[in-house]
């Protein structure tokens, strides 16, 4: 069983939903970015999405765009991202928290999908979420991901109707990521009713866990999602805490990392306060 | 790559929108169903005589087609080689070939019941054309334009506003065409149920590269007819400038299967392809995935997209339409480049010799013609697409030449 499947099985046994936290690798720099990554499970993250910064993040709002720019400016590369994951597994001894790489396909394509998957898996990565690789193009990646034991988490959206869902699910493993609003990351928020309806609809098609993201900013919103989904995904709002911890010159202040963890803990408390099943 | 010679270069893309390795649909899932809907609607419209009739009427009575095919006698004598013809698409309503595509897409938007149109623009020619068609059809229009381009193409910004469009300057990244396209895609993903994204070039996710090409093929189809009337035969050489490549594809595509026709696309060489500051994706880039399609891109070793550089805002883009990438790899079309300075010289030459102020974009094509034509025999019929007029560029050119106006 993959780390992702094990983690969701564990969450189910604990009768609660999970918290998936997104941070951009190397934001605001490699050192502080690693400190954040390292401390996320302790702060309450059940799964981690590690963003690979890209110059042209077409599906992201201003928060994650800026995070990517900070990381790229600090010189982060794909190799550095792999190193960070490797170091996390080695130094923390955490072999249970799944780490998924999230980003845009060109970085994978340039390295070659086969080599990328091999290196990612060797570093301790568990899965990939590629925003611009819909099922129509996913066969470029899926065989190599599968051969290396990497889950591929595809996105579903409110526009993904029942006719189309099976195509998305065909390439999905680990969990299904439901993008709860029409739009880019970190902008609009869905109503609890809309989340419930869509999660129920997706679950009619698949036994996979459903994670819901986009627009979750508060512990209350995270709790509302946790009532219906198997996991709540929070990204932009966490990344905003990184930005809030920078001084006027863009240098990280000493309260940056604790500020991120305090916020993640509040989200985790929100999610864990919901008893399931 | 295929090792056998194809029977036709005009059958692409395949049903998944691929031209060989290139093209495809690399977009967020939210957009996928909308792109499939667009493909279906376009295929239906294409086969509908009423749609084609309406489009043809607008192209003739509103845009002023067919555009003339003009024998540039003085330029031909000056260059002393090939007989140079200009396809005068700069005489179209709105001043460039962009109107050909926009009328088709906005008609389609109306047919699909969309109530809002968005577009990206570089030089502002596509933005002006889109704003124009939206005024005509009474549809609200938002144009995304890099902040750098807003400054260097001020006349077109004002034009769009006069036409009732909202121009949104994009400050992210290099604040040029690629960033405008990112922002348009971000808007579309949030508004896709009511909004039609009118892409200005033969790029983006399928069906855009094929659809825009089809709408632009009116250029090449007219040239075939006109040149046969004037010279009794097909051209020997075709030349067009390439940013995303829509004017070039419109001219080239109808001739791809005519083996005797030599076809040349001219990319923007900026300060020189060897300086690293250019926009020549085919010459200086390699295949990658951006803005919904796989194509040649300017990028670093990791796959981070690099900024393009060109004096021409319309060519200042680090990618190119996927069908051009395919035609390059097939060897059917030659791709070369012309620098900023070469384009500026050609710009001035055409003003003086023919009384035509070209846009900086086709000035790149002309720069290559000035090099190529003298090497060709006098009976070589060369057709260059003069795809835009230079009114929008006079301020930028004056500044570059150190003239205060």
């Amino acid at each position: 069983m993959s780390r992702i499947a094990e983690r969701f099985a564990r969450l189910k046994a604990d009768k609660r939903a999970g918290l998936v936290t997104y941070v951009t690798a190397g934001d605001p720099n490699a050192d502080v970015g690693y400190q954040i990554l390292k401390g996320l499970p302790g702060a309450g993250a059940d799964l981690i999405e590690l963003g690979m910064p890209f110059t042209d993040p077409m599906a992201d709002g201003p928060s994650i765009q800026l995070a990517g720019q900070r990381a790229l400016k600090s010189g982060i590369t794909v190799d550095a991202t792999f190193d960070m994951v490797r170091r996390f597994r080695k130094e923390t001894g955490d072999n249970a928290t799944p780490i998924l790489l999230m980003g845009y396909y060109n970085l994978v394509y340039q390295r070659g999908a086969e080599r990328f998957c091999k290196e990612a898996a060797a570093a301790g990565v568990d899965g990939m979420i590629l925003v611009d690789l819909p099922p129509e193009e996913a066969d470029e990646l899926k065989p190599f991901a599968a051969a290396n034991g990497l889950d591929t988490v595809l996105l579903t959206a409110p526009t993904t109707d029942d006719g189309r869902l099976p195509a998305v699910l065909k390439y999905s493993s680990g969990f299904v990521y439901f993008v709860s609003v029409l739009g880019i990351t970190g902008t609009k928020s869905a109503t609890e009713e809309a989340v419930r309806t869509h999660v129920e609809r997706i679950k009619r098609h698949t036994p996979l866990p459903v994670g819901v993201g986009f627009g979750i900013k508060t512990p209350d919103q995270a709790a509302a999602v946790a009532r219906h989904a198997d996991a709540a995904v929070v990204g932009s709002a966490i990344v905003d805490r990184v930005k809030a911890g920078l001084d006027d010159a863009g240098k990280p202040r000493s309260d940056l990392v604790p500020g991120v963890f305090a916020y993640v803990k509040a989200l985790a408390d929100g999610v864990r306060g919901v008893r399931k099943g | 790559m295929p090792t056998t010679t194809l029977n036709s270069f005009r059958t692409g893309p395949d049903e998944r929108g691929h031209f060989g390795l290139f093209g495809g649909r690399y977009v967020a899932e939210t957009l996928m169903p909308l792109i499939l809907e667009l493909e279906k609607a376009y295929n239906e419209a294409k086969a509908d005589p009423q749609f084609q009739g309406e489009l043809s009427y607008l192209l003739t009575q509103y845009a002023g087609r067919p555009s003339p095919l003009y024998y540039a006698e003085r330029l031909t004598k000056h260059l002393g080689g090939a007989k140079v013809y200009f396809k005068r698409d700069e005489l179209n309503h709105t001043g460039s070939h962009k109107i050909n595509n926009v009328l088709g897409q906005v008609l389609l938007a109306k047919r699909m019941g969309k109530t809002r149109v968005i577009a990206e623009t570089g030089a502002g020619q596509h933005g002006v054309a889109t704003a124009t068609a939206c005024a005509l059809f009474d549809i609200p229009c938002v144009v995304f334009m890099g902040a750098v381009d807003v400054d260097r193409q001020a006349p077109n910004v004002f034009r769009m506003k006069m036409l009732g469009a909202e121009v949104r300057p994009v400050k992210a990244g290099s604040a040029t065409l690629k960033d405008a396209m990112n922002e348009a895609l971000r808007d579309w993903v949030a508004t896709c149920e009511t909004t039609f994204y009118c892409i200005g070039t033969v790029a983006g996710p399928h069906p855009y590269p094929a659809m825009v090409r089809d709408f632009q093929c009116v250029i090449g189809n007219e040239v075939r007819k006109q040149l046969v009337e004037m010279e009794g035969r097909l051209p020997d050489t075709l030349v067009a400038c390439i940013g995303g490549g829509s004017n070039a594809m419109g001219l080239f595509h109808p001739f791809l299967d005519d083996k005797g026709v030599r076809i040349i696309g001219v990319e923007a060489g900026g300060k020189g392809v060897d300086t690293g500051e250019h926009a020549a994706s085919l010459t200086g880039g390699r295949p990658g995935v951006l803005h919904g399609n796989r194509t040649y891109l300017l990028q670093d070793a990791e796959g981070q997209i690099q900024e393009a550089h060109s004096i021409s805002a319309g060519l200042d883009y680090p990618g190119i339409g996927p069908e051009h990438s395919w035609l390059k790899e097939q060897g059917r079309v030659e791709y070369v480049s012309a620098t900023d300075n070469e384009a500026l010289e050609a710009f001035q030459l055409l003003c003086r010799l023919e009384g035509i102020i070209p846009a900086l974009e086709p000035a790149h094509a002309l720069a290559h013609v000035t090099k190529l034509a003298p090497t060709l025999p006098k009976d070589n019929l060369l057709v260059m697409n003069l795809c835009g007029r230079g009114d929008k560029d006079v301020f930028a050119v004056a500044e570059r030449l150190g003239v205060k106006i």
Side-chain angles (χ1 to χ4, degrees):
Chain A
M1 206 191 273
S2 74
R3 280 194 198 103
I4 296 174
E6 272 177 29
R7 177 50 50 106
F8 276 104
R10 175 82 226 176
L11 289 167
K12 197 169 183 185
D14 290 351
K15 297 191 186 320
R16 68 174 181 91
L19 174 66
V20 184
T21 56
Y22 170 97
V23 289
T24 298
D27 172 31
N29 59 48
D31 179 46
V32 176
Y34 177 69
Q35 288 178 45
I36 295 171
L37 173 68
K38 195 169 138 182
L40 281 173
D46 296 301
L47 292 89
I48 296 169
E49 286 177 16
L50 191 58
M52 299 183 287
F54 183 51
T55 40
D56 294 80
M58 289 153 289
D60 286 304
S63 300
I64 293 178
Q65 287 177 41
L66 288 172
Q69 284 172 19
R70 290 192 294 268
L72 285 173
K73 210 173 153 194
S74 84
I76 199 79
T77 59
V78 172
D79 281 330
T81 306
F82 289 159
D83 282 343
M84 229 174 262
V85 177
R86 197 175 291 116
R87 200 173 147 199
F88 172 91
R89 294 282 180 226
K90 197 173 153 204
E91 285 183 10
T92 64
D94 183 338
N95 245 327
T97 304
I99 299 179
L100 295 101
L101 294 180
M102 183 160 191
Y104 294 82
Y105 181 57
N106 197 44
L107 298 187
V108 177
Y109 178 63
Q110 291 312 316
R111 190 161 286 235
E114 183 169 17
R115 184 181 149 204
F116 190 100
C117 290
K118 206 174 150 194
E119 292 179 358
V125 170
D126 301 290
M128 296 179 20
I129 308 176
L130 296 172
V131 181
D132 54 352
L133 202 69
E136 277 75 4
E137 310 291 351
D139 51 10
E140 288 191 31
L141 177 76
K142 184 70 189 176
F144 305 118
N148 288 284
L150 293 175
D151 282 316
T152 48
V153 176
L154 267 69
L155 305 180
T156 62
T159 48
T160 314
D161 62 18
D162 287 328
R164 189 174 159 74
L165 256 176
V168 175
L169 293 167
K170 185 182 156 198
Y171 289 99
S172 301
S173 64
F175 67 99
V176 182
Y177 188 136
F178 175 61
V179 173
S180 60
V181 294
L182 294 182
I184 50 179
T185 53
T187 51
K188 299 185 275 191
S189 306
T191 63
E192 185 172 346
E193 181 55 23
V195 169
R196 186 184 63 80
T197 311
H198 282 290
V199 169
E200 282 175 5
R201 183 170 69 87
I202 294 164
K203 282 187 169 290
R204 281 200 291 274
H205 290 266
T206 179
L208 286 173
V210 179
V212 174
F214 279 47
I216 303 174
K217 297 185 180 89
T218 66
D220 283 349
Q221 285 174 327
V225 166
R227 278 194 278 278
H228 309 286
D230 300 295
V233 188
V234 185
S236 298
I238 296 175
V239 160
D240 282 343
R241 295 305 186 282
V242 175
K243 189 182 170 206
L246 299 171
D247 66 20
D248 291 342
K251 294 262 185 311
R253 291 194 313 255
S254 59
D255 62 352
L256 186 153
V257 177
V260 170
F261 292 158
Y263 177 67
V264 170
K265 182 167 184 312
L267 292 169
D269 289 345
V271 168
R272 288 169 197 231
V274 178
R275 184 101 186 136
K276 315 257 293 183
Chain B
M1 283 297 103
T3 49
T4 53
T5 309
L6 295 175
N7 291 324
S8 173
F9 292 99
R10 303 189 64 205
T11 56
D14 66 19
E15 69 283 0
R16 295 174 60 200
H18 290 126
F19 301 91
L21 176 68
F22 303 102
R25 291 174 286 212
Y26 298 85
V27 295
E29 171 60 22
T30 309
L31 292 178
M32 242 349 274
L34 282 299
I35 281 173
L36 294 171
E37 180 199 341
L38 172 64
E39 184 186 358
K40 189 165 166 272
Y42 172 58
N43 286 336
E44 284 165 10
K46 195 159 78 166
D48 179 354
Q50 200 192 329
F51 177 87
Q52 293 295 351
E54 244 180 291
L55 178 57
S56 164
Y57 173 83
L58 286 169
L59 287 173
T60 309
Q61 304 299 337
Y62 185 71
R65 300 210 73 90
S67 67
L69 184 66
Y70 165 71
Y71 168 44
E73 195 175 352
R74 288 198 68 209
L75 180 73
T76 298
K77 283 196 179 124
H78 174 80
L79 296 175
K83 194 170 180 184
V84 178
Y85 280 86
F86 290 138
K87 180 59 173 165
R88 302 286 307 271
D89 255 51
E90 102 278 15
L91 294 176
N92 295 337
H93 181 43
T94 74
S96 80
H97 69 290
K98 294 294 186 188
I99 193 77
N100 305 333
N101 162 49
V102 161
L103 287 173
Q105 286 200 49
V106 176
L107 262 183
L108 185 60
K110 209 180 100 181
R111 185 184 163 102
M112 291 174 74
K114 301 289 180 185
T115 54
R116 176 174 175 263
V117 167
I118 58 170
E120 83 295 331
T121 197
Q125 295 300 84
H126 175 60
V128 167
T130 307
T132 298
C134 287
L136 179 65
F137 290 109
D138 194 24
I139 299 180
C141 172
V142 176
V143 179
F144 295 90
M145 188 169 186
V148 168
D149 295 338
V150 167
D151 287 341
R152 62 179 166 175
Q153 302 286 343
N156 271 346
V157 174
F158 185 61
R159 240 176 237 146
M160 287 184 266
K161 289 180 180 170
M162 296 270 285
L163 291 160
E166 180 192 340
V167 179
R168 286 199 201 156
V170 178
K171 297 193 181 80
S174 57
T176 59
L177 182 51
K178 93 175 162 80
D179 309 285
M181 197 150 182
N182 288 337
E183 214 53 41
L185 284 163
R186 287 178 189 129
D187 180 290
W188 200 30
V189 85
T191 60
C192 53
E193 287 175 327
T194 54
T195 295
F196 187 99
Y197 181 14
C198 182
I199 293 184
T201 192
V202 286
H206 179 65
Y208 282 99
M211 177 170 72
V212 176
R213 172 198 72 197
D214 293 350
F215 288 138
Q216 290 295 358
C217 273
V218 66
I219 300 171
N221 287 331
E222 285 176 8
V223 167
R224 276 187 93 90
K225 199 162 162 258
Q226 289 168 321
L227 199 66
V228 167
E229 277 167 16
M230 295 166 85
E231 295 277 358
R233 65 181 182 89
L234 293 182
D236 300 296
T237 311
L238 298 175
V239 181
C241 65
I242 297 188
S246 71
N247 92 81
M249 194 56 75
L251 175 66
F252 297 170
H253 200 264
F255 294 98
L256 289 176
D257 288 342
D258 296 291
K259 291 204 175 82
V261 182
R262 182 180 175 195
I263 305 180
I264 303 164
V266 186
E267 294 190 288
K271 294 177 182 170
V273 172
D274 49 0
T275 65
E277 293 187 48
H278 60 85
S281 354
L282 286 176
T283 314
R286 58 177 202 283
V289 174
L290 180 71
H291 292 154
N293 62 144
R294 177 165 24 225
T295 191
Y296 273 73
L297 298 173
L298 299 179
Q299 55 187 324
D300 70 11
E302 289 252 302
Q304 304 292 354
I305 307 306
Q306 290 172 326
E307 291 177 17
H309 294 271
S310 173
I311 189 175
S312 146
L315 305 180
D316 205 344
Y317 180 69
I320 185 165
E323 194 167 10
H324 283 294
S325 293
W326 180 74
L327 288 167
K328 173 197 161 80
E329 297 217 334
Q330 292 294 324
R332 176 61 187 100
V333 176
E334 297 166 47
Y335 293 92
V336 298
S337 66
T339 64
D340 287 351
N341 287 337
E342 289 169 336
L344 267 173
E345 275 176 36
F347 178 97
Q348 297 171 79
L349 181 75
L350 196 65
C351 293
R352 288 194 307 269
L353 279 182
E354 295 285 350
I356 297 171
I357 303 176
L360 281 170
E361 291 79 24
H364 285 75
L366 184 64
H368 188 70
V369 169
T370 62
K371 287 184 255 181
L372 177 69
T375 70
L376 299 172
K378 288 196 163 55
D379 62 352
N380 188 290
L381 301 178
L382 186 155
V383 178
M384 187 198 103
N385 196 8
L386 191 47
C387 62
R389 61 176 172 246
D391 311 39
K392 69 179 174 64
D393 292 317
V394 294
F395 300 100
V397 170
E399 196 186 320
R400 188 71 183 244
L401 298 176
V403 179
K404 279 219 162 106
I405 45 178

